[in-house]
Amino acid sequence: MLSYKISIIGSGNLATRLAPELENAGHRIVEVCSRNPKNAKSLIAKLYNAAIKYDYDFTQSVAEIIIIAVSDDAIEEVAKEVALNESMILVHTSGTRSLDLLSYAAADHKGVFYPLQTFSKTKRVEFDHIPILLEASDDKTMRVLQNLAGSISKKTVPLNSEQRKAVHVAAVFSCNLVNHLFRVAEEILAEKKLTFDLLGPLIVETVNKSLALGPASAQTGPAVREDYETLDAHMEYLKDDLFRSEIYRMISQDIIDTR
Amino acid sequence: MLSYKISIIGSGNLATRLAPELENAGHRIVEVCSRNPKNAKSLIAKLYNAAIKYDYDFTQSVAEIIIIAVSDDAIEEVAKEVALNESMILVHTSGTRSLDLLSYAAADHKGVFYPLQTFSKTKRVEFDHIPILLEASDDKTMRVLQNLAGSISKKTVPLNSEQRKAVHVAAVFSCNLVNHLFRVAEEILAEKKLTFDLLGPLIVETVNKSLALGPASAQTGPAVREDYETLDAHMEYLKDDLFRSEIYRMISQDIIDTR
C-alpha cells in the first residue's frame, strides 16, 4: 500500500471526517489550513502530527497531495491564492464544481476527489462502501488518486465533469428532495398529533426494496395501481395546501404515465 | 398469551405474510377464503390445518375473528356478502378505507387492523417493529385487536379513521412519491451510463439521518444552503424535461421557504 503525505485546506464536515480516515489508512496529514482556528485545532487534535498552517503557500511543504475541502463557493478563491511545487497534486472535493475551476492555480497536476456521501461533524460514517468519484488532469494523477481513494473505499469511480454533474443532480433528487418529502409527511402526521417515527419501518423497507429491485419494479401504492378512488380521496385531503396537492398530483401523474 | 381462532378472506400479499405470522404467534387460522384457488392453495400449504372456503357464510364456523385482507376496492362487496354469528369480530386491513365501510355487514363487532408496511409475496418482513394501526366499534373489540396485534408486533397504535387517513397520505409522500424520485435519479444516471446503486450509501445515510434527527434538522444540499449558483446550474441541466425541472424547482423553493 502506497503512503502519501497530504495537506488539507478546510476544517469543515468533510475535512473532519476525511483526514483521520486517511491517517487510519496509512497516509500522513502534514498540515491543516483553515481560517477557522477553533475548527482547525479540533481537527488537529484528532491527527497524529499535523501542523496548523495559516496561508496557502506550499512551496516549502513536504506534502505530495493538497486537498481543498472547503465549501463550493470558496474553491475559486483558494485556487487563486495557492502556491505549489511542480510535482504536487491539487484536488478539490466538490460534487458540482468542474475540474477546470482549479485552472486558477498554477498546478501541473489537478484532480477531483469527491466522496459521494452526506457528512456531519457529529456522525461517524463508514468510508469503505462510499463511492469516491475521481477526475484528473493526467494519467499519472489519476493513478495516484485511485491509490488514495482505494486505500479508504472499495469503490473508486473515474468520471468526467459532465458525469459527475449528473450524479450530483441525481443525488439531490434522491436525497435532498426526498428528505423534504419526509418533512411534508412529518407535518401531515403532526397535524393529527402523530409522530414521524411511525413511518420508520415503512421507509426503511421502501428504500431496501428500491435498492434491491430497482425503483421501477419496487413501486407500490395507489398511483401505480391506478386506484383513482384513493388518489381522489388524498387530493381532497390535501386541497387546502397548494404545495402538497401540486406535488402529490404531479408525481402521481408521472407514476401513472411511466407505468 | 391469548390464542384466537381466525379466518382470513383473501390470499394476496398481506394475507400470505400475515397468516403464517399469526400462527407463529400461537393463533390458529381455521379458514382461508379466496376466489383465486391457486393463491389460496399456496397459502394453505404454509399453514397448520386451515381449510379452503369458497363462500363468506361463517355462521357455522368456529372462527372468532374474520380478517378481510382483500384489495381496497373489494372490501365493500365482501362486507355485503359476509354472514356472521353475533360474537364474531369482523376487521378489514386497509390504510385508506374507513371503519364505516364494514357497516354493510351485519356485524356487532367491527374493526380495522392495518399493518403499516409494504408487503410482497416474495420478500419476508419482520413484523415485530411494524406499527399496527387499530380502530374498533367498541371497547371489547379494541381489547381483542390489541391482544392480537400485540402478539406479533411491539407497536400497536389505536387511531380513528381520520388519523389513519393522515397516516396513509403521509405514507404515500414518504414512500411512493419518494420511490418515484429514486426512479428519476436512476434515469438521470442512466443517461450518462451510470447505475442507481452508486447512490445506495448516500440514500441509506440520508434516511438514517432523517429518522435519527428528524427531516427538518437533517436537510443538506444546495437549497437549504441557499447555494443559488448550484441551483441555477442544476435547473439549466434539467431544462429540457418539464417534469424534472418543475419538481426540482418547486421542492427546492419550499426547502428555502421553510428553512
Side-chain angles (χ1 to χ4, degrees):
Chain A
M1 181 68 76
L2 285 161
S3 168
Y4 295 107
K5 292 190 274 296
I6 300 165
S7 290
I8 291 195
I9 302 175
S11 55
N13 296 351
L14 175 59
T16 301
R17 288 286 146 204
L18 182 61
E21 192 74 19
L22 289 170
E23 284 205 335
N24 284 343
H27 309 288
R28 194 182 139 207
I29 308 296
V30 291
E31 293 147 328
V32 171
C33 309
S34 173
R35 288 173 176 174
N36 182 326
K38 189 163 158 273
N39 280 1
K41 271 178 199 153
S42 127
L43 174 50
I44 291 282
K46 298 189 172 97
L47 299 172
Y48 178 64
N49 193 23
I52 297 184
K53 186 170 164 62
Y54 294 97
D55 62 71
Y56 302 150
D57 180 352
F58 294 92
T59 50
Q60 305 301 315
S61 170
V62 298
E64 299 157 291
I65 304 170
I66 317 292
I67 298 178
I68 305 177
V70 300
S71 66
D72 288 357
D73 295 343
I75 297 171
E76 182 177 327
E77 192 196 327
V78 171
K80 281 175 179 166
E81 285 190 37
V82 84
L84 306 169
N85 287 335
E86 253 178 34
S87 64
M88 288 173 171
I89 292 175
L90 179 71
V91 302
H92 75 61
T93 52
S94 164
T96 48
R97 297 304 194 263
S98 80
L99 176 59
D100 292 340
L101 198 55
L102 298 183
S103 302
Y104 287 107
D108 291 335
H109 306 290
K110 296 180 288 280
V112 178
F113 184 98
Y114 171 49
L116 181 58
Q117 187 53 284
T118 166
F119 293 95
S120 314
K121 277 209 193 79
T122 52
K123 193 165 183 310
R124 253 189 79 83
V125 291
E126 299 295 332
F127 271 77
D128 53 325
H129 292 287
I130 298 177
I132 301 186
L133 313 189
L134 302 175
E135 189 176 355
S137 58
D138 56 283
D139 290 349
K140 183 175 160 279
T141 301
M142 180 55 88
R143 281 195 299 275
V144 172
L145 296 183
Q146 294 245 25
N147 287 336
L148 186 67
S151 70
I152 59 172
S153 168
K154 296 191 183 83
K155 184 142 188 163
T156 65
V157 189
L159 291 183
N160 60 37
S161 287
E162 192 60 22
Q163 286 177 308
R164 189 157 32 80
K165 190 182 282 185
V167 171
H168 198 252
V169 172
V172 169
F173 270 93
S174 54
C175 298
N176 309 140
L177 305 193
V178 157
N179 185 72
H180 196 61
L181 297 190
F182 292 155
R183 182 167 177 176
V184 171
E186 182 182 45
E187 288 168 352
I188 289 170
L189 293 177
E191 287 161 10
K192 302 291 174 192
K193 313 282 183 214
L194 298 167
T195 54
F196 181 58
D197 63 314
L198 200 59
L199 295 172
L202 179 57
I203 287 172
V204 169
E205 175 71 8
T206 300
V207 166
N208 289 345
K209 211 191 253 194
S210 199
L211 289 170
L213 310 177
S217 311
Q219 189 60 284
T220 59
V224 77
R225 290 200 300 272
E226 293 198 78
D227 172 355
Y228 288 105
E229 189 175 338
T230 299
L231 291 171
D232 288 348
H234 286 180
M235 283 302 290
E236 172 68 21
Y237 189 91
L238 297 165
K239 72 176 190 300
D240 295 331
D241 188 303
L242 188 62
F243 173 71
R244 292 179 191 170
S245 55
E246 267 302 281
I247 289 292
Y248 188 100
R249 188 189 61 72
M250 284 175 64
I251 301 182
S252 296
Q253 189 59 53
D254 205 59
I255 293 172
I256 294 168
D257 293 344
T258 57
R259 282 176 73 216
Chain B
M1 182 66 78
L2 285 161
S3 170
Y4 296 107
K5 292 190 274 297
I6 300 166
S7 290
I8 291 196
I9 301 174
S11 56
N13 296 351
L14 175 59
T16 301
R17 289 286 146 201
L18 182 61
E21 192 74 20
L22 289 169
E23 283 204 335
N24 284 344
H27 309 290
R28 194 181 140 209
I29 308 296
V30 291
E31 293 148 329
V32 171
C33 310
S34 173
R35 289 175 174 171
N36 182 326
K38 188 162 158 274
N39 280 0
K41 270 178 200 155
S42 127
L43 173 50
I44 292 283
K46 298 188 171 96
L47 300 172
Y48 178 64
N49 193 22
I52 297 185
K53 186 170 164 62
Y54 294 99
D55 63 72
Y56 300 150
D57 181 352
F58 294 92
T59 50
Q60 305 301 316
S61 170
V62 297
E64 298 155 292
I65 304 171
I66 317 292
I67 298 178
I68 304 177
V70 300
S71 67
D72 288 357
D73 295 342
I75 298 171
E76 182 178 326
E77 191 197 326
V78 171
K80 282 174 177 165
E81 286 190 37
V82 84
L84 307 170
N85 288 335
E86 254 178 35
S87 64
M88 286 173 172
I89 292 174
L90 180 70
V91 302
H92 75 61
T93 52
S94 164
T96 47
R97 298 304 195 262
S98 80
L99 177 59
D100 292 342
L101 198 56
L102 298 183
S103 303
Y104 288 107
D108 290 336
H109 306 290
K110 296 180 287 283
V112 178
F113 184 97
Y114 171 49
L116 181 57
Q117 187 52 286
T118 166
F119 294 95
S120 314
K121 276 208 193 81
T122 52
K123 192 167 182 310
R124 253 188 79 81
V125 291
E126 298 294 332
F127 270 78
D128 53 326
H129 292 288
I130 297 177
I132 301 186
L133 314 190
L134 301 175
E135 190 177 355
S137 58
D138 56 283
D139 291 349
K140 183 174 159 281
T141 301
M142 180 54 88
R143 280 194 299 276
V144 172
L145 296 184
Q146 294 245 24
N147 287 336
L148 186 67
S151 70
I152 58 172
S153 168
K154 296 191 184 81
K155 184 141 188 163
T156 65
V157 189
L159 292 184
N160 60 39
S161 288
E162 192 61 21
Q163 286 176 309
R164 189 157 31 80
K165 191 183 282 185
V167 171
H168 197 253
V169 172
V172 169
F173 269 92
S174 54
C175 299
N176 309 141
L177 305 193
V178 157
N179 185 74
H180 196 62
L181 297 190
F182 292 155
R183 181 166 177 177
V184 171
E186 182 182 45
E187 287 167 354
I188 289 171
L189 293 176
E191 288 161 10
K192 302 290 174 191
K193 313 281 181 215
L194 298 167
T195 55
F196 182 58
D197 63 316
L198 200 58
L199 295 172
L202 179 58
I203 287 172
V204 168
E205 175 70 7
T206 300
V207 167
N208 288 345
K209 211 191 253 195
S210 199
L211 289 170
L213 309 177
S217 311
Q219 190 59 284
T220 60
V224 77
R225 289 200 301 272
E226 293 199 79
D227 173 355
Y228 289 105
E229 190 175 337
T230 299
L231 291 172
D232 287 348
H234 286 181
M235 284 301 290
E236 172 68 21
Y237 189 91
L238 297 166
K239 71 176 192 297
D240 295 333
D241 187 303
L242 188 61
F243 173 71
R244 292 178 191 172
S245 56
E246 267 303 281
I247 288 292
Y248 188 100
R249 189 190 60 73
M250 284 176 64
I251 302 182
S252 296
Q253 189 59 54
D254 205 59
I255 293 172
I256 294 168
D257 293 344
T258 57
R259 283 175 75 213

